[in-house]
Amino acid sequence: MAETPKAATSSIRIAKGDIVPKIVLPDTAGQTVDLTDQLIAGNTLALWLLDEKPTKETWQEIDRFLDQVAGCETLTFLIIGGTKSPRKAAKSNAKATELYDAENAVKKLFGVTGPSMLLIDPNHRLVFNASFADVDNGIDVCKAIHAGSKSDMINRQAPVMLLHDILEPELCQELISYWEAGEKRADGVSKGTENSSTAKSDIKKRNDVVLLDEVLFEKVKSRLVGRVIPELFKAFQFRTASMEALRIGCYDAADKGHFGRHRDNRTAFTAHRRFAVSLNLNPVTYEGGQVRFPEYGRGLYAPPAGGAVVFSCSLLHEAMPVTKGRRFGIFTFLTDEAGAIAEQKMIAQRKGQVAPLAMKR
């Protein structure tokens, strides 16, 4: 018996930017096709959700799509809803793979009703969900995904993750507005055994606002849990148990904003930290401000607005001086179960010196 899309029977609805769960459906020969299979993964997937076999007019649109995205590493699947796989093996189409979704589980998963086209990027995240009338926009998305990275020879790189589209533009702007209205804390650096946060402007020049608004916090947390934490497990087999408070920060050229070379887990107050998450909130129209990992070369890391750089807290790194404009970001640290226990012990031992900032998933 063929599997239906994972989570299709739950209340989960996959939104743009979310990781798409496993989808397994039968093809024309009754053989199951898993869209996360290693021979399929790593491509952009175009899913045409249909109520019946494609008509001549629909095939004309599909053919035009296929012609336009040729060379963009895009695989196309026609998912025919409300129909079982043929009892006898039918002739497969060389242009696109036909799959059958008798329960219309895929439509339910993505919250669509009529014929639609979905695009899933090479990292298996939903990037496009629209009707057939928007096929031209879908073509542009496929081309943009392919053009967004180059097949350059890489001979030196820090062991970090660069992730795009973790936070949507509207949420980024909400966070910047919250910073603008919030109480600023300047240049906090954990310093040995003295205090959990000591101002040291020679090392760090950044104004932070702790995110205390529960609704806004939950919005950011849900994106991190759904879009960052699974990537950490996939890349590093790391299981996140808790995260620290979210800090919105601003590196301002007027203050020569920067953060000198440091590691994020070298004091009694930070030893529990395992991974750092640095999300950029505004477009890279400022100058400077990139993150650098000098142990691994002179490369500069600058995710776009809504994107993140995620890295081990043991890595030496620095935020380069902002020389023009302002760089806004939101910052936190993740730990595993052992780190969370160690953090709670440290808080209990050092009452009055450190605030309990960890927030359980």
Side-chain angles (χ1 to χ4, degrees), residues 161-297:
M161 287 198 306
L162 280 172
L163 302 174
H164 288 211
D165 301 317
I166 303 302
L167 306 179
E168 56 270 35
E170 298 80 9
L171 181 51
C172 289
Q173 187 53 57
E174 277 191 83
L175 293 165
I176 292 173
S177 297
Y178 186 89
W179 180 91
E180 296 280 8
E183 179 184 348
K184 314 298 187 291
R185 300 183 182 182
D187 316 328
V189 175
S190 180
K191 186 182 178 186
T193 59
E194 292 180 19
N195 200 304
S196 60
S197 184
T198 301
K200 284 186 67 66
S201 60
D202 57 329
I203 296 174
K204 177 182 180 182
K205 197 66 182 174
R206 189 180 83 199
N207 286 314
D208 288 352
V209 172
V210 178
L211 180 55
L212 300 176
D213 181 278
E214 290 187 14
V215 173
L216 200 49
F217 173 83
E218 285 299 324
K219 284 184 182 180
V220 178
K221 178 184 173 183
S222 69
R223 273 58 165 188
L224 294 177
V225 170
R227 301 174 184 178
V228 173
I229 287 174
E231 294 289 347
L232 264 177
F233 182 75
K234 181 171 71 175
F236 300 113
Q237 295 289 297
F238 176 79
R239 293 188 183 277
T240 303
S242 70
M243 73 176 183
E244 288 190 19
L246 298 169
R247 295 175 176 84
I248 308 167
C250 176
Y251 293 103
D252 194 328
D255 299 327
K256 300 180 180 178
H258 70 284
F259 199 158
R261 294 182 184 184
H262 65 286
R263 305 182 199 274
D264 288 323
N265 59 2
R266 291 305 174 93
T267 75
F269 300 98
T270 62
H272 61 278
R273 294 173 175 173
R274 301 293 187 260
F275 280 89
V277 181
S278 174
L279 287 136
N280 275 3
L281 296 179
N282 58 321
V284 188
T285 52
Y286 51 86
E287 294 179 5
Q290 309 95 336
V291 182
R292 184 178 177 222
F293 301 88
E295 295 168 311
Y296 298 91

Side-chain angles (χ1 to χ4, degrees), residues 20-49:
V20 177
K22 187 174 183 177
I23 295 174
V24 181
L25 293 169
D27 62 12
T28 54
Q31 300 297 313
T32 56
V33 176
D34 179 354
L35 297 186
T36 62
D37 183 89
Q38 61 187 6
L39 298 179
I40 294 173
N43 295 287
T44 297
L45 306 183
L47 310 185
W48 293 66
L49 308 187

Side-chain angles (χ1 to χ4, degrees), residues 6-215:
K6 196 175 181 181
T9 57
S10 75
S11 60
I12 294 174
R13 291 293 179 269
I14 303 302
K16 183 179 175 182
D18 289 346
I19 295 172
V20 177
K22 187 174 183 177
I23 295 174
V24 181
L25 293 169
D27 62 12
T28 54
Q31 300 297 313
T32 56
V33 176
D34 179 354
L35 297 186
T36 62
D37 183 89
Q38 61 187 6
L39 298 179
I40 294 173
N43 295 287
T44 297
L45 306 183
L47 310 185
W48 293 66
L49 308 187
L50 304 162
D51 294 325
E52 57 186 359
K53 285 267 193 176
T55 63
K56 181 180 178 181
E57 291 74 18
T58 301
W59 266 119
Q60 288 175 342
E61 280 295 273
I62 295 169
D63 285 338
R64 186 169 69 86
F65 173 83
L66 292 169
D67 181 64
Q68 288 292 312
V69 302
C72 291
E73 297 188 3
T74 300
L75 299 181
T76 300
F77 297 86
L78 312 183
I79 298 180
I80 302 168
T83 304
K84 292 183 178 180
S85 176
R87 290 187 177 182
K88 293 183 179 180
K91 185 179 179 181
S92 61
N93 193 295
K95 298 177 183 178
T97 302
E98 289 185 14
L99 303 177
Y100 295 86
D101 182 8
E103 305 298 325
N104 276 314
V106 175
K107 283 186 177 179
K108 294 173 186 175
L109 184 64
F110 293 98
V112 301
T113 53
S116 303
M117 186 174 75
L118 311 175
L119 293 176
I120 301 172
D121 75 7
N123 206 22
H124 218 66
R125 292 176 58 183
L126 181 66
V127 292
F128 185 81
N129 182 347
S131 69
F132 292 169
D134 282 334
V135 169
D136 286 335
N137 288 331
I139 291 170
D140 290 341
V141 170
C142 290
K143 291 180 176 179
I145 290 171
H146 191 255
S149 62
K150 298 178 181 179
S151 54
D152 294 338
M153 186 75 72
I154 297 173
N155 58 26
R156 180 170 289 194
Q157 177 182 306
V160 305
M161 287 198 306
L162 280 172
L163 302 174
H164 288 211
D165 301 317
I166 303 302
L167 306 179
E168 56 270 35
E170 298 80 9
L171 181 51
C172 289
Q173 187 53 57
E174 277 191 83
L175 293 165
I176 292 173
S177 297
Y178 186 89
W179 180 91
E180 296 280 8
E183 179 184 348
K184 314 298 187 291
R185 300 183 182 182
D187 316 328
V189 175
S190 180
K191 186 182 178 186
T193 59
E194 292 180 19
N195 200 304
S196 60
S197 184
T198 301
K200 284 186 67 66
S201 60
D202 57 329
I203 296 174
K204 177 182 180 182
K205 197 66 182 174
R206 189 180 83 199
N207 286 314
D208 288 352
V209 172
V210 178
L211 180 55
L212 300 176
D213 181 278
E214 290 187 14
V215 173

